[in-house]
């Protein structure tokens, strides 16, 4: 059995063990704050997957994917500029440091004033929060490019967009992927946070409504659906990363 197979088996066993403990400790629970696991899972299926919650789930996922897409594109493009052009770095780094010091959730009121209460506000908050992990990883990767790479491109007169597309981007891609991996769970957090105020659509809205109405089974259900989303998104991205950066992992192995 290979090392990768053993690690995957351990992950599955760990998840199964956690579910078994939850089932055993909650099966006979009469505590309203800790409802039985079967009731929670039944609520997840009936509401989120086949009921009215599907509309809220789809709305949240659209906001999340849109915000992540914007953050990825801007993070990579701006990161390449900041990491390679010293003038750009000096010009915009103070502004970036100022904005980065402000939690994205603290900018929700500002985003409401700027974009209103629609999807644009939610997308802005998600994109802003996810932008900086990707940006910083790309900038560091550009600054850490080996001198041999620069010497080789100069020797073969590889310049301009061709150099960026076929030399620099592949070299910084593994670090960019690391930034995206950090941004995915952060995007989920900001997705929920942006939907908790001034909106009537999304997982965050349902979570807040269930909490205020003391529907704790629904609160647990929303938490479960968020956890499942986080696991699935990370698994999908890990598979895409392995496929697109196969050359990098083959070298590492």
């Amino acid at each position: 059995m290979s090392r990768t197979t053993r690690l995957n088996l351990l992950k599955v066993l760990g998840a199964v063990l956690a579910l078994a403990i939850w089932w055993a400790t909650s099966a006979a629970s009469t505590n309203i704050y800790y409802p039985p696991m079967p009731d929670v899972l039944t609520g997840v299926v009936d509401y989120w997957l086949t009921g009215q919650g599907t509309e809220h789930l789809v709305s949240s996922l659209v906001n999340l994917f849109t915000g992540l897409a914007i953050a990825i594109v801007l993070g990579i493009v701006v990161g390449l500029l900041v990491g390679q052009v010293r003038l750009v770095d000096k010009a915009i780094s103070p502004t970036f440091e100022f904005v980065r010091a402000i939690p994205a959730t603290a900018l929700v009121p500002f985003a409401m004033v700027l974009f209103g209460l629609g999807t644009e506000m939610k997308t802005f908050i998600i994109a802003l929060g996810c932008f900086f992990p990707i940006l910083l990883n790309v900038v560091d990767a550009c600054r850490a490019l080996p001198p041999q790479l620069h010497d080789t491109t100069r020797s073969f007169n590889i310049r301009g967009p061709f150099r960026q597309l076929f030399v620099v981007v592949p070299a910084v891609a593994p670090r960019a992927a690391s930034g995206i991996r950090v941004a995915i769970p952060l995007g989920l957090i900001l997705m929920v946070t942006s939907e908790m105020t001034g909106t009537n659509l999304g997982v965050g809205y349902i979570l807040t409504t269930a909490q205020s109405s003391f529907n704790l089974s629904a609160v647990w259900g929303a938490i479960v659906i968020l956890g499942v989303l986080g696991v699935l998104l990370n698994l999908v991205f890990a598979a895409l990363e392995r496929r697109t950066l196969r050359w990098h992992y083959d070298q590492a192995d």
Side-chain angles (χ1 to χ4, degrees), residues 186-203:
L186 182 59
L188 275 171
I189 295 171
L190 294 173
M191 177 193 80
V192 175
T193 305
S194 65
E195 293 170 345
M196 285 184 167
T197 307
T199 183
N200 60 355
L201 195 62
V203 179

Side-chain angles (χ1 to χ4, degrees), residues 34-184:
Y34 191 47
M37 178 182 175
D39 295 348
V40 174
L41 296 183
T42 300
V44 168
V45 173
D46 291 344
Y47 184 76
W48 291 107
L49 302 183
T50 60
Q52 297 178 349
T54 305
E55 178 185 5
H56 296 277
L57 183 58
V58 170
S59 174
S60 294
L61 289 177
V62 170
N63 295 333
L64 175 63
F65 290 142
T66 305
L68 273 175
I70 295 172
I72 291 170
V73 173
L74 289 180
I76 293 174
V77 172
V78 178
L80 290 172
L81 284 172
V82 174
Q84 298 178 86
V85 183
R86 185 176 297 274
L87 182 62
V88 175
D89 183 17
K90 297 298 182 182
I92 65 178
S93 287
T95 303
F96 279 165
E97 291 299 325
F98 173 80
V99 178
R100 190 164 69 93
I102 305 173
T105 52
L107 292 174
V108 171
F110 169 75
M112 288 180 179
V113 173
L114 197 62
F115 298 102
L117 301 177
T119 57
E120 292 84 359
M121 179 271 292
K122 305 170 191 176
T123 302
F124 171 78
I125 293 297
I126 296 169
L128 180 65
C130 296
F131 168 74
F132 288 103
I134 302 169
L135 171 74
L136 295 177
N137 274 274
V138 173
V139 169
D140 287 344
C142 289
R143 292 172 177 170
L145 290 176
Q148 297 87 346
L149 185 64
H150 297 293
D151 295 339
T152 302
T153 55
R154 281 195 296 267
S155 299
F156 288 94
N157 197 29
I158 302 174
R159 302 177 184 277
F162 189 88
R163 177 179 182 272
Q164 295 296 319
L165 187 59
F166 294 102
V167 178
V168 177
V169 170
V172 304
R175 289 292 300 274
S178 298
I180 297 172
R181 200 180 305 117
V182 173
I184 288 174

